[in-house]
Amino acid sequence: DSGILFNATMLRCMLENNIYEIPRFDLSFNDFRQVQGGELLEELQECYDRYGRDETIVITRSNKRANRYNEGIRRHNLSAEEEIESGDMLMVVKNNYHYAEQDKDSPMAFVANGDVVRLKRIRRFEEFYGFRFIDATLQFPDYDDYEMQAKVLLDTLMSESPSLSRDESNKLFMEVEKDYMDITIKSKRYKAIRENPHFNAMQIKFAYAVTCHKAQGGQWKAVFVDRCLFGDEEMSKDMLRWLYTAITRATERVYLVNFDERFFE
């Protein structure tokens, strides 16, 4: 029997019948567990050892909380010493058409928002146009570990926004445009800008912890679901839908992290 299926079905029934109460999860199944904060890093390490980094994920409510999780996981579980390192798991946070189109052997038409990649190699760091970049070799686990050479933007890595903000994107565009002001025909100048590798750099975040929005469409063997209610916050239709989406990202195990006793029978 599957606790993931049982508890997900319970959430779906509540949504279909407009019952917006705190659900009571059944923990009698081996694949559905409750985890307190002090146990989290140890349980994460067990899943990294059992399933691998690319099959384990933490799902949380905000980019701010995801950043905190990513920082702690990289420091304590992965012993990372640099801002970003070869072997890091990353998630693309904005659709990117440039590099797939440049690579004739690419198995994908474009690199999609939400794609998880492994940073296989960093060739160099650089600061350009007021932003920070790396030239990198990216490996795509979902495409038989296909490798792609790309420029990667570091400014989104620990940002609290989902990707570059509108103001940041406009700033990058205007800085790049300065290199093409000798092209007097505006349509040709814009075409040159859109082919610029820095302007088309992959926007990424760490993929050890992500928001539920970024996790949609993906599946992992082990999913750690961060607490969803804080203080006196009430359960709502959107929060039930959030829980259902988070739980159904898992194929083998779900861990509910720091959920209070109101959620358990």
Side-chain angles (χ1 to χ4, degrees), residues 239-251:
M239 191 54 61
L240 281 174
R241 188 181 292 115
W242 185 95
L243 275 171
Y244 176 79
T245 302
I247 286 170
T248 53
R249 298 311 89 204
T251 60

Side-chain angles (χ1 to χ4, degrees), residues 17-45:
N17 290 282
N18 300 318
I19 302 172
Y20 308 138
E21 300 175 355
I22 292 177
R24 269 48 172 189
F25 293 112
D26 188 337
L27 297 178
S28 64
F29 301 88
N30 290 331
D31 63 345
F32 207 87
R33 304 181 183 184
Q34 180 185 15
V35 176
Q36 297 304 321
E39 308 167 306
L40 174 61
L41 295 178
E42 182 178 346
E43 293 286 356
L44 271 169
Q45 191 60 53

Side-chain angles (χ1 to χ4, degrees), residues 185-196:
I185 299 175
K186 184 178 290 188
S187 61
K188 291 185 177 180
R189 184 165 72 245
Y190 284 4
K191 182 177 184 294
I193 294 169
R194 292 190 179 94
E195 293 175 353
N196 180 282

Side-chain angles (χ1 to χ4, degrees), residues 79-116:
S79 301
E81 297 180 353
E82 305 296 335
E83 176 188 18
I84 189 170
E85 299 180 349
S86 297
D88 268 322
M89 299 303 300
L90 306 171
M91 177 172 282
V92 178
V93 294
K94 184 178 181 180
N95 288 346
N96 189 294
Y97 298 85
H98 178 78
Y99 290 102
E101 291 173 353
Q102 295 291 313
D103 188 343
K104 295 181 180 179
D105 295 325
S106 172
M108 61 203 90
F110 65 98
V111 181
N113 180 5
D115 278 351
V116 174

Side-chain angles (χ1 to χ4, degrees), residues 214-258:
K214 291 298 182 186
Q216 289 187 60
Q219 285 197 310
W220 293 262
K221 290 182 178 178
V223 171
F224 290 75
V225 182
D226 187 29
R227 62 184 296 189
C228 65
L229 293 185
F230 300 89
D232 296 328
E233 189 176 4
E234 295 183 357
M235 183 55 63
S236 65
K237 180 179 181 179
D238 287 342
M239 191 54 61
L240 281 174
R241 188 181 292 115
W242 185 95
L243 275 171
Y244 176 79
T245 302
I247 286 170
T248 53
R249 298 311 89 204
T251 60
E252 294 195 21
R253 287 189 182 181
V254 164
Y255 298 81
L256 300 180
V257 182
N258 288 326

Side-chain angles (χ1 to χ4, degrees), residues 27 38 47 102 139 178 183 211 220 225:
L27 297 178
C47 288
Q102 295 291 313
Q139 195 174 58
K178 292 176 183 178
I183 304 176
T211 62
W220 293 262
V225 182

Side-chain angles (χ1 to χ4, degrees), residues 129 131 164 166-181 186 189-194 199:
Y129 303 119
F131 294 84
L164 278 188
R166 182 186 296 268
D167 288 343
E168 289 170 327
S169 296
N170 289 338
K171 176 186 174 183
L172 179 58
F173 181 90
M174 289 186 290
E175 291 298 319
V176 173
E177 185 180 26
K178 292 176 183 178
D179 283 347
Y180 298 94
M181 292 308 292
K186 184 178 290 188
R189 184 165 72 245
Y190 284 4
K191 182 177 184 294
I193 294 169
R194 292 190 179 94
F199 182 71

